[in-house]
Every structure is written in C-alpha cells, then in structure tokens.
Amino acid sequence: MTQNTNWKNVEKALAILTGKLTPQQILAMPVDTLARRIEGATLRNELLAVNGIGPETADSILVYALDKPFFIIDNYTRRILHRIGFELPTGYDQLRLLLEQNIPRNITTYQQYHALLVEHAKRYCTKIPQCQHCPLSKCCQKRIK
Ligand code: SF4
C-alpha cells in the first residue's frame, strides 16, 4: 500500500519532470539531482492536494520555506513580462515551465528573482507605471494596455 502510494507520487513527479526535460536530459542528470527534483515535484503535488492551496501558494511555500526551486508566477510577474514585450502562455504551469527552462534552476536565483520582480512592480511597474524612472525603460515595449 505504502509502496503503491509512493510510486504514484513518483509517477506524478515524473510527469511534471518530463514536461520540461527531454529523456536525454533526464538520463544525463546525476541521480542525486534527479532525486531532489522528484522530491520537490512530489511535495508540490501534495501541497496542491490541500484544499485552498493553489499553485502560487504551493510554489511560494516550496521556494521560501522548503528551498525547492520552482518559479513563482504572480500577477506582478505577468504584468512586467507582458509590458516588456514577451508573449506569455495563459496557464500558470505553462508560464512557470517556460521561465524554469530559461532561468538557471537554482533556489537562491529563484528566491531573489521573485523578490526583485515584486519590488520592481511596486516601485516602478505599478498599475499606472512610472516608466520615466524605470531602469528597464530603454528595453521595454511598454505594452501598458
Ligand atoms: S518601462 Fe514602464 S512598463 Fe516597462 S517595466 Fe518599466 S515601469 Fe513597467
């Protein structure tokens, strides 16, 4: 029974992993790295199974309380990336996977990246943006609407 439950979690974890890694990447990955990632994906599934915990909350717990590298997607992240000019998938996990594929998967990087996005959204990229003072102004398409 326990083994069945654990294997189901591993299957879920592998399903998440295979969404963002090629079979070759999985095969080339050191066993301890793969184990850490499966462990993180399993924890994420367990958090999402709790009533009231959605993906943003689950990823916030994983990143800041459990040191597991999942990129947190929130409205600030979407707002900034959209305004800069990126075409974003609408689904939470699609955008999370896109960012995780393009930003080195490292817990400190993901913690700081999210914190900086929040700070940037509060300081410059507010609902009515302060583009004249924004350090990203030169490279931003300013898609405000
Ligand atoms: S230039 Fe304006 S729209 Fe672009 S990131 Fe900065 S504040 Fe936001």
Side-chain angles (χ1 to χ4, degrees):
M1 174 91 161
T2 306
Q3 279 181 336
N4 275 348
T5 305
N6 286 342
W7 182 248
K8 282 197 175 94
N9 285 337
V10 171
E11 282 181 334
K12 283 184 203 165
L14 282 170
I16 291 173
L17 282 172
T18 52
K20 57 192 162 189
L21 294 173
T22 64
Q24 290 76 14
Q25 286 173 314
I26 292 175
L27 281 174
M29 191 176 289
V31 171
D32 56 338
T33 305
L34 185 60
R36 273 201 306 278
R37 292 183 69 158
I38 288 175
E39 188 190 311
T42 302
L43 279 172
R44 187 173 193 268
N45 278 329
E46 288 174 354
L47 284 168
L48 289 173
V50 176
N51 199 15
I53 295 188
E56 184 183 334
T57 304
D59 290 338
S60 299
I61 293 168
L62 288 162
V63 170
Y64 288 113
L66 301 174
D67 282 352
K68 301 293 178 195
F70 289 85
F71 205 98
I72 302 165
I73 304 300
D74 61 3
N75 288 340
Y76 293 148
T77 302
R78 279 196 177 276
R79 178 198 288 168
I80 294 167
L81 294 177
H82 169 78
R83 286 177 174 174
I84 285 174
F86 291 104
E87 296 305 325
L88 306 179
T90 51
Y92 182 98
D93 281 321
Q94 287 87 344
L95 181 53
R96 177 178 66 79
L97 293 174
L98 183 66
L99 293 176
E100 289 175 3
Q101 282 162 357
N102 287 284
I103 299 171
R105 200 178 169 99
N106 170 279
I107 185 62
T108 306
T109 303
Y110 283 13
Q111 288 171 339
Q112 292 184 350
Y113 221 112
H114 178 70
L116 289 169
L117 283 166
V118 171
E119 182 64 20
H120 187 75
K122 288 184 172 175
R123 196 180 292 193
Y124 301 106
C125 206
T126 48
K127 274 194 179 164
I128 301 171
Q130 312 297 310
C131 300
Q132 66 277 24
H133 305 298
C134 177
L136 300 179
S137 188
K138 280 188 184 157
C139 63
C140 181
Q141 291 182 15
K142 303 183 183 65
R143 297 194 304 182
I144 309 302
K145 293 189 178 171

